[in-house]
Amino acid sequence: MLNIVLFGPPGAGKGTQSEKLIAQYNLMHLSTGDILRAEKKAGSPLGKQAQEYSDKGLLVPDALVIALIEDKIKHNKQVNGFIFDGFPRTVAQASALDTMLNESSIPVSGMIALEVNEDELFVRLLKRGETSDRPDDKDPAIIRQRISVYNSETTPVAGFYSAQKKYYGVDGMKSIDTVFESISDVVEALKK
Ligand code: B4P
């Protein structure tokens, strides 16, 4: 079983690369951003609660996203493995994920971190904001807030996996296909 944590700042390409990974490796995609947006669209109480945070560029509370992921893992034990996209985003989430996966004896195989500079993140997110219905991509102040939250709350997660010798950095500034080749090299090595 292969469990990949796809990591990086907002707009680094986690969603983009996840789609390619699913196609190639037949893994189950768990994107907390996508799940929360679907809940919001459905108008569920969970979606409404999450929207209060995500529209402002803030992280949704740990307890809420941890419960979401726990439920998905519990109900999908038969899969080849998972791609965790946008989760964990705090050390508390990373440690909760370790506990969940260790209980099933299927630990995280590796964290693949997409490294992209801040100027490029702004360009990508504002460009997506021109055509998407995501309010968090339209306002430069909200994008700045998301990057600042990433720097303060999410970057420590990289240290969490480095300490376990599971951190694999990839240059995310290249073209989508070149980035995917680099990610695939890591995945192939992890499969061995
Ligand atoms: P997410 O949905 O995870 O969104 P993201 O970080 O903005 O996007 P991603 O990195 O996937 O970018 P993408 O591939 O689309 O989170 C949204 C919000 O949900 C968070 O702010 C938070 O509030 C909440 N949330 C989610 N998970 C949470 C958690 N675990 N805990 C608490 N809160 C949570 O790429 C962006 C753009 O760049 C696209 O337009 C793409 O086409 C382009 N692009 C990608 N790769 C490129 C490349 N190589 N070259 C050029 N352009 C590229």
Side-chain angles (χ1 to χ4, degrees), residues 10 53-59 118 122 125 136 139-154:
Y53 297 89
S54 59
D55 283 1
K56 291 184 195 141
L58 301 173
L59 292 183
E118 288 193 9
F122 265 87
L125 292 174
D136 57 342
D139 180 348
I142 304 286
I143 294 178
R144 205 164 295 119
Q145 172 70 15
R146 287 161 66 194
I147 294 174
S148 153
V149 167
Y150 171 81
N151 288 334
S152 57
E153 296 184 46
T154 306

Side-chain angles (χ1 to χ4, degrees), residues 10-11 13-16 32 37 58 60 86 89 93 128 146 174:
K14 303 181 292 288
T16 305
T32 36
R37 278 186 290 278
L58 301 173
V60 171
R89 258 176 158 97
Q93 292 178 19
R128 183 171 65 186
R146 287 161 66 194
K174 301 270 170 51

